[in-house]
Every structure is written in C-alpha cells, then in structure tokens.
C-alpha cells in the first residue's frame, strides 16, 4: 500500500484494509466502492480528510493525527436494520476507547444518537450512510476519533485521547475498533439484539436527567427516559407526555466536566 504507515493495524480475519494518506471522506470512498460493486467488510482508513463529514450536514475536523475510518459492509452482512448497526457501532467505539488503561478513572458514555464522551466531552462521532437509495446495497459506518487533537472554539465540550494521557497512533485505535466491532458483530449475528440494546442504553449519558434537545425546527426540554427499539430517543415532557425523537442534538445539563452547557451551532466544524 503506497505511503502506508510502518505498522498496519491487525484486522479481524476476513476484514480488508484500504489506506489513504489523504482522501475527501472515508465514508464517501466507501459509498463509491459500494456503488462500483465492491463488497465488505472493508475498512477504509485515511490520515486526513479534505471533506470529512459529520451528522446533519456538518463538516468534520480532519487534520492528520486523529482516526478517520469507515467500515464498508455489504447488505448480506448488514442485513438487519440501521438502528441495530448503529447500536453495534456505538458499542464498538465505546469498547475501543474504554480499553486504554489511562482512562480507567474517566467516565465514558455514549450520547444519543451516537457520540462517545469522556468526562462529558466528545471524543468520537459516528456517521452511518447507505449506498442505494431505494434498497440499501451497502453501509458505510464512519468513525472519527480524536486521538492527538480536537478542534478549538466549538460550541460543545470536546477532547482527545492524548489530553487524557493516552499516547497512541491512530492505527492502534483502528485495530481496537475493528476488533471490538467484529466481536459485537458476532454477538449480533447470534441474534441477541436485546443484549446489545441493553448494553448500549446502560452506557447512555443523561439517563433520567433533564436534557434539552434541539430539533431542526424546535427545541424541547424533558427527562431522558431512554431509547426505543427503533433508536428513537424517548423524552418525558413537563405535562407527562412522552415524545419519541428520531433526529436532533441533545444537550446535557452538566455539558461536560470541564465546561458549562453550551449551545449548538450548525456551522461548527465538529
Ligand atoms: C458526527 O457528526 O459526530 C459524526 C462524525 C463522523 C466522522 C467520521 S470520520 C470518518 C468518516 N468519514 C467521514 O467523512 N465522516 C466519518
């Protein structure tokens, strides 16, 4: 592989790797490959992205030093629903990061829909996209993990692994991530989605707390009850009614151990 790092990550058996020094977006590359008939599981990994993308049309801060990787899964592997894949991916990201011993005294949590927080600050984000508009042919499961740096001046608390004493290269994080993904995939393939759902909800931040959820055209406040079987966030409002939210940004009352609650900003690079 031209320009590849000295040590390539060891991936689970059957998983292939495509490495790039620079690419527009590893998710975009996964979808291009899927459109031209390539199957998975294939990890696409880049040192940097020139057009990294985040949820809800945002850009993703992608300089060298962090992990940018997408797993291409064909529908034969990803034959179940997107919610289940999203749960599986969140658990894999959680385990990959939780395995670093320097983080043993930190509080790790998932934030709906699929951010990973360390002490309340975002350290990783996931973006799942489909190839095939009518009937998805393949999925691109994109992971962005802040390894050595994080963006400054963004409206949410953010952090990176080095800030917490974890000195690693992105390839090592990818190795752990791929291993954790394969292991959760195996559990999922044995049919125990309930176990995955319970594991995911037990790692969710803000459970039982009063949170603010920013929707495209509204802002809601209520008690975070959990996540339903379709991946919707359940929020109990002041009048007792329960709203199920499928897309939005959650703001927790603590807003991260290092900072106060902050407001969302769709122009944010993170
Ligand atoms: C989020 O908004 O939190 C999701 C961010 C996902 C970023 C990753 S980096 C690798 C992959 N390629 C992209 O363009 N985006 C995802």
């Amino acid at each position: 592989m031209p320009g590849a790092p000295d040590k390539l990550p060891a991936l689970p058996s059957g998983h292939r790797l495509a490495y790039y020094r620079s690419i527009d977006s590893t998710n975009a590359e996964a979808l291009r490959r899927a459109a031209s008939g390539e199957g998975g599981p294939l990890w696409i990994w880049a040192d940097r992205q020139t057009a990294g993308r985040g949820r809800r049309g945002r850009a993703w801060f992608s300089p060298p030093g962090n992990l940018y990787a997408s797993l291409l899964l064909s529908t034969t592997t990803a034959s179940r629903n997107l919610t289940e894949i999203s749960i599986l991916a969140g658990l894999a990201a959680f385990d990959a990061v939780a395995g670093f011993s320097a983080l043993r005294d930190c509080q790790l949590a998932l934030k709906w829909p699929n951010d990973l927080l360390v002490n309340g600050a975002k350290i990783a984000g996931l973006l799942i996209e489909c190839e095939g508009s009518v009937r998805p042919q393949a999925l691109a499961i994109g992971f962005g993990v802040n390894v050595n740096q994080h963006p400054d001046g963004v409206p949410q608390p953010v952090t990176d692994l080095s800030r917490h004493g974890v000195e690693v290269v992105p390839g090592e994080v990818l190795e752990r991530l791929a291993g954790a993904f394969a292991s959760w995939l195996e559990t999922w393939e044995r049919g125990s989605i309930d176990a995955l759902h319970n594991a995911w909800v037990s790692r969710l931040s803000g459970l039982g707390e009063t949170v603010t959820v920013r929707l495209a055209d509204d802002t809601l406040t209520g008690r975070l009850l959990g996540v339903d079987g379709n991946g919707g966030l359940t929020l109990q409002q002041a009048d007792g009614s329960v709203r199920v939210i499928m897309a939005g940004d959650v703001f927790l009352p603590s807003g991260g151990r290092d900072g106060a609650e902050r407001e969302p900003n769709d122009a944010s690079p993170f």
Side-chain angles (χ1 to χ4, degrees), residues 23-29 44 46 49 51-62 67-71 114-116 122 124-129 140-145 156 249 270:
I23 201 166
D24 53 351
S25 150
T26 56
N27 261 32
E29 176 62 15
I44 296 164
Q49 299 182 118
R53 48 205 203 204
R55 285 196 314 116
R56 309 185 82 195
R58 297 178 182 122
W60 184 259
F61 173 75
S62 304
L67 176 67
Y68 315 108
S70 301
L71 176 61
N114 234 337
D115 291 345
L116 178 63
K122 181 165 174 172
L126 270 72
L127 178 67
I128 302 178
E129 297 178 282
I141 308 167
F143 298 85
V145 182
Q156 299 161 280
D249 287 310
F270 190 69

Side-chain angles (χ1 to χ4, degrees), residues 237-251:
Q237 297 179 285
D239 63 2
S241 64
V242 174
R243 274 279 291 263
V244 180
I245 297 155
M246 297 311 294
D249 287 310
V250 175
F251 294 85

